[in-house]
Structures are given as C-alpha cells and as structure tokens.
Amino acid sequence: MISRDWVCLQFVRIALIGAAVSWTAVADLGARDGCKDWTVLENCRLIVNSANDGDSFHVSAGTNEYIFRLYLVDAPETDEMTPGRLVAQAKYFGITEPQAIEVGRAAKEFTREKLSAPFTVFTRMSDAMGQSRLERFYAFVQTKEGDLGEQLVRNGLARNYGFKAVPPGLRNSRAEMEKLQQLENQARQEKIGGWGVNIGRLNAPAGVSGPFSHFGSNQKPQGLGRPAASPSFSSTPRPPTQTAPGGTPNPKKSRPKADTPLGKININSATEKELTTVPGIGHVMATRIIAARPFRSADDLRRVSGIGDKKYAQARPYFQ
C-alpha cells in the first residue's frame, strides 16, 4: 500500500514544479515587454559603426554597448537594402528614392555630429527589432541642445512617423506628436532637408524656433525611476481669437474654412494646414491622420481614430 506521507510528498513536488513554470513564464513575458519604468543612461557615447543611421545607432554606456532606435521619428534609409520602406519615405517627402537616400545620409551625419558630445538616453528596453547580433531598443535621446528626434524633424531630416511611446513626465504621447508635426511643418515651409532637396537646400540649417524638449538629467546612471523634471512640450498653436470692433473678444465668431476643391488633396503629403481646410477635420484630427501615414488610398481614412461613417462621408470627396 502507498503511504499517506508518500502521497503528500508527490503533491508538494507537483506544486513546486508548477510554481517554477509559472514564475519562468512571467519572467520571460516581462523581458519581452521591457521595463515598465524609464532606465536613464547618462554620459553615453556614440560608437562608430557602419550600420548607424539617423535614427538608429550603437551607443556605449559605461562598459556596456547598446543599439538604440528613436521613438516617434523616422529618418530615411541610407541604402537600398529595404526598398519598400525607402519608397514610402520618398513618397512622404515627395522626392525620388535616390534623393531619399541622400536625405538619409545627411541625417546620419547630423546625428553623428549631435552625438559627438556625451548625451543621455531614456529607454524602457522595449525591443525595436533589427538585424544585428545585439538587441535593439527604442529610446528617447537627449543631447545638450535637446531631444534628438525633434532636432532631426525640425531640420527636415526625419518624418513625424514611428513607434509611439509616452515621453518621460507626460501622460500621453499626443502633445509630443503635435509638437513634432509643428516642427515638420516649419521645415516644410522653409524647404529644408528632405523638403528642399529638389532646390539644393538639403543641408540648409533650420530657422529660429522654440526650445527643444528637455527631459531632465538629474537621475542616477542606469537607475530606474521617472525623471524629476518634466519635458517642456508645446502643443499646436491655436488661431488668434477674433475681436469685436470695441476691442472685446468675440468667442462666437470663428474663422471659416477656406474653400477647398473636391478631389485635390493628397492624403499622404498634405500639410496639417491643408488637412484642416476639409470640413470635419480640425487640428487634432489632422495630427491623427498624419501620424497614421502612409495610406494606400484615401479610403483608409476609416482606420483613423475618431473618423466614423458620417465624418468619412463628409471628408472623403476632398481627397484624391
């Protein structure tokens, strides 16, 4: 006969094995999802590597080597190794694929210059994939002049497009996305970087603009936690309030939308200003449309958050 003690021992062994398996599954899941809190790496240095480009690069932090990929922005490719992505980038800027490669190489040089001095990395160790033997992680990178992604976009060397994350100190990513769109619009208006490559303004410096974001750098290197200082984000400016003849603001009177011809707007290249001329599309919705690019056609407007059947039927005729 089997003793009662032997049966109890078997139950204990099974319980311990089950607990170990459950703990391993949770640990693996946590590793794949990355850290919940921001890891702050200070005094980082750029490692020269042929695979570096404008938005992805090798970095040394202490004795460790990492590869980081910027959140929220996308610099053009520096070669033809990923033709599909290159075509989409060229279409976004309205240029040819060889010109897009020129912009990508200019972005790579821009990043190399900006990271020539020590910089700070904010990362959650979220997997950004890649083809290197080292794992690549998404990150925000802070130089002495501010956020690197913002600087790339402001100089027309990257587009407001990429993997989204809530920046340190903020509750959502919308404010930063709106700021990036504002910086992109400035670069487009000044015809610099990818927006000016057709007229020889690829390396033209950006004009005077507002301060870039600062996330604060008073954290311990590689320590977990949230930066004490919040970023200085600015959202898209609102149109000036119209004033009545007596000098009193008139909140009931608003600026009418400009007359927009039907079927003339390109869904993948229209500026925020052009998008807001379409009935039913304001600044917030225009920002969402731009963030969702590229579209196969304007029919894909339905997949933009906030565009239901009624708004789609109202706006679709204005697009090509």
Side-chain angles (χ1 to χ4, degrees):
M1 294 181 64
I2 300 174
S3 68
R4 181 180 300 177
D5 292 340
W6 185 88
V7 173
C8 292
L9 179 60
Q10 296 307 310
F11 273 108
V12 170
R13 290 179 61 188
I14 292 171
L16 289 173
I17 293 171
V21 171
S22 299
W23 182 88
T24 302
V26 171
D28 288 345
L29 180 62
R32 287 196 301 270
D33 289 349
C35 302
K36 290 183 178 180
D37 295 322
W38 290 104
T39 297
V40 184
L41 305 178
E42 293 185 335
N43 296 315
C44 295
R45 297 277 184 174
L46 180 69
I47 297 175
V48 177
N49 190 292
S50 60
N52 289 350
D53 57 27
D55 57 32
S56 180
F57 33 81
H58 290 245
V59 169
S60 67
T63 59
N64 297 322
E65 179 179 352
Y66 302 93
I67 303 177
F68 290 116
R69 169 70 166 86
L70 296 179
Y71 280 117
L72 298 175
V73 303
D74 178 52
E77 303 299 303
T78 57
D79 53 41
E80 299 177 343
M81 296 297 291
T82 51
R85 190 173 182 84
L86 182 62
V87 168
Q89 292 164 340
K91 186 175 181 180
Y92 187 93
F93 284 99
I95 56 181
T96 65
E97 284 84 0
Q99 287 174 324
I101 290 176
E102 286 186 59
V103 178
R105 291 173 178 172
K108 176 179 179 178
E109 177 59 25
F110 181 91
T111 292
R112 186 199 64 77
E113 178 186 346
K114 296 300 178 182
L115 301 186
S116 60
F119 52 92
T120 301
V121 171
F122 295 80
T123 180
R124 281 181 169 153
M125 297 298 179
S126 296
D127 186 9
M129 297 178 287
Q131 301 176 354
S132 172
R133 61 179 178 81
L134 288 176
E135 189 173 6
R136 188 170 66 160
F137 304 107
Y138 282 108
F140 289 104
V141 172
Q142 197 74 23
T143 74
K144 61 183 180 181
E145 297 175 8
D147 181 67
L148 177 60
E150 292 181 8
Q151 295 174 66
L152 283 163
V153 171
R154 179 63 183 92
N155 285 272
L157 300 175
R159 55 179 177 162
N160 177 15
Y161 178 90
F163 193 85
K164 300 177 180 63
V166 180
L170 294 186
R171 294 184 178 180
N172 58 63
S173 60
R174 187 175 66 181
E176 179 64 1
M177 291 171 62
E178 289 179 350
K179 181 174 184 180
L180 286 169
Q181 188 56 50
Q182 182 182 25
L183 296 174
E184 183 177 297
N185 291 344
Q186 289 178 292
R188 187 198 298 260
Q189 184 176 8
E190 293 175 15
K191 292 182 172 58
I192 58 176
W195 308 110
V197 67
N198 284 318
I199 57 174
R201 290 178 56 79
L202 173 59
N203 295 306
V208 178
S209 62
F212 292 104
S213 297
H214 289 273
F215 298 105
S217 58
N218 57 344
Q219 304 295 305
K220 294 181 180 180
Q222 213 166 344
L224 294 175
R226 303 186 185 279
S230 298
S232 55
F233 293 108
S234 64
S235 58
T236 306
R238 297 178 180 177
T241 303
Q242 294 202 8
T243 306
T248 304
N250 184 357
K252 296 182 180 180
K253 191 172 182 181
S254 60
R255 292 171 24 175
K257 288 181 179 285
D259 292 332
T260 305
L262 296 176
K264 295 296 183 181
I265 295 180
N266 186 312
I267 188 67
N268 285 313
S269 63
T271 65
E272 181 182 359
K273 183 177 180 180
E274 290 171 335
L275 290 171
T276 56
T277 64
V278 176
I281 296 180
H283 288 283
V284 173
M285 189 58 64
T287 300
R288 292 179 185 176
I289 292 172
I290 291 170
R293 289 170 176 170
F295 296 92
R296 289 173 299 178
S297 73
D299 294 339
D300 288 342
L301 273 171
R302 292 179 183 275
R303 64 182 172 88
V304 178
S305 176
I307 295 184
D309 292 340
K310 182 177 180 181
K311 185 166 290 188
Y312 173 83
Q314 184 182 20
R316 179 62 182 88
Y318 290 86
F319 294 93
Q320 296 176 1

